């Protein structure tokens, strides 16, 4: 990984020569020219692996676009992609039964997680979602569900807004020490107390 700018030219060429000597007789080694373009080398790799190299140029363009996008966005590892609520919050909070809320603390912000990212980043999904950042979405809160640990709201999203996290929902309030992920557990319970509502809200695509 030491480049010519990091070491002397003689040492750099020595490193390259050592590596070439080491691998020159290995049948499965693929020799690439570092002076060739990324497309040329990717084409060589694809051909050697018996793959169709026709998409090499598009693949390189996509990779460059992805790297540029994450630099512009300033977020290399967002926690999730979702809808951040921008309107309808007072009506939503007002719809929570007082006995359901109890001493639980309202969340500092409300959002619907459309995709939890964790340690895995799908570049295709990321670029598509990035193009939607800030775009508005109107949707409806249809049910409020609670127990002694959490208050969550089930939501109905419009066609075309996909949620990969199972049941689209908003975590509204949590008891001390309870993590937001508990909402999914709560909503999966058939015996949890609930209240059917119809609260229109607005949100925008956002990373969090």
């Amino acid at each position: 990984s030491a480049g010519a700018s990091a070491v002397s030219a003689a040492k750099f060429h020595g490193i390259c020569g050592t590596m070439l000597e080491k691998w020159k007789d290995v049948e499965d080694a693929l020799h690439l020219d570092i002076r060739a373009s990324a497309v040329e080398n990717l084409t060589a790799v694809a051909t050697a692996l018996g793959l169709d190299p026709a998409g090499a140029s598009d693949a390189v363009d996509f990779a460059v676009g992805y790297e540029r996008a994450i630099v512009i966005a300033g977020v290399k590892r967002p926690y999730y992609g979702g809808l951040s609520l921008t309107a309808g919050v007072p009506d939503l909070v007002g719809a929570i039964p007082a006995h359901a809320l109890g001493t639980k603390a309202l969340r500092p912000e409300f959002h619907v997680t459309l995709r939890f990212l964790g340690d895995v980043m799908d570049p295709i999904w990321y670029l598509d979602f990035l193009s939607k950042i800030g775009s508005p979405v109107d949707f409806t809160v249809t049910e409020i569900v609670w127990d002694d640990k959490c208050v969550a709201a089930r939501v109905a999203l419009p066609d075309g807004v996909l949620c990969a996290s199972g049941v689209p929902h908003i975590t509204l309030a949590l008891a001390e020490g309870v993590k937001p992920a508990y909402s999914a557990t709560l909503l999966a319970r058939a015996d949890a107390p609930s209240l059917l509502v119809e609260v229109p809200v607005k949100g925008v695509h956002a990373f969090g």
Side-chain angles (χ1 to χ4, degrees), residues 10-170:
K11 187 173 182 179
F12 176 70
H13 289 298
I15 293 171
C16 293
T18 300
M19 293 177 66
L20 287 173
E21 182 64 26
K22 180 179 180 180
W23 296 104
K24 68 178 182 179
D25 296 325
V26 178
E27 294 182 359
D28 291 337
L30 177 62
H31 299 278
L32 300 176
D33 187 348
I34 62 172
R35 297 166 298 181
S37 69
V39 174
E40 290 171 325
N41 278 329
L42 184 57
T43 297
V45 171
T47 302
L49 294 176
L51 303 175
D52 183 2
S57 180
D58 289 340
V60 170
D61 287 344
F62 179 86
V64 172
Y66 173 66
E67 291 296 328
R68 184 180 297 116
I70 61 177
V71 170
I72 293 173
V75 182
K76 285 200 172 185
R77 187 64 65 185
Y79 187 62
Y80 65 84
L83 300 174
S84 178
L85 265 65
T86 57
V89 172
D91 290 339
L92 176 55
V93 172
I96 303 173
H99 64 279
L101 183 59
T103 59
K104 303 179 191 72
L106 288 171
R107 301 295 294 158
E109 58 85 30
F110 295 149
H111 68 269
V112 178
T113 298
L114 297 180
R115 182 162 180 161
F116 174 73
L117 302 177
D119 294 328
V120 178
M121 178 67 74
D122 179 347
I124 295 176
W125 178 91
Y126 181 88
L127 282 182
D128 178 67
F129 192 84
L130 191 63
S131 69
K132 300 174 182 175
I133 292 295
S135 61
V137 177
D138 294 345
F139 57 103
T140 304
V141 175
T142 60
E143 186 179 19
I144 295 176
V145 185
W146 66 90
D147 64 6
D148 60 334
K149 298 179 180 179
C150 174
V151 182
R154 200 184 307 268
V155 305
L157 299 175
D159 293 340
V161 179
L162 304 179
C163 180
S165 62
V167 179
H169 66 276
I170 302 168

Side-chain angles (χ1 to χ4, degrees), residues 164-202:
S165 62
V167 179
H169 66 276
I170 302 168
T171 301
L172 298 176
L174 294 170
E176 185 176 357
V178 179
K179 296 185 179 299
Y182 178 76
S183 291
T185 301
L186 171 61
L187 291 168
R189 285 179 47 197
D191 63 337
S194 64
L195 174 68
L196 294 179
V197 296
E198 187 173 349
V199 181
V201 294
K202 296 178 182 291

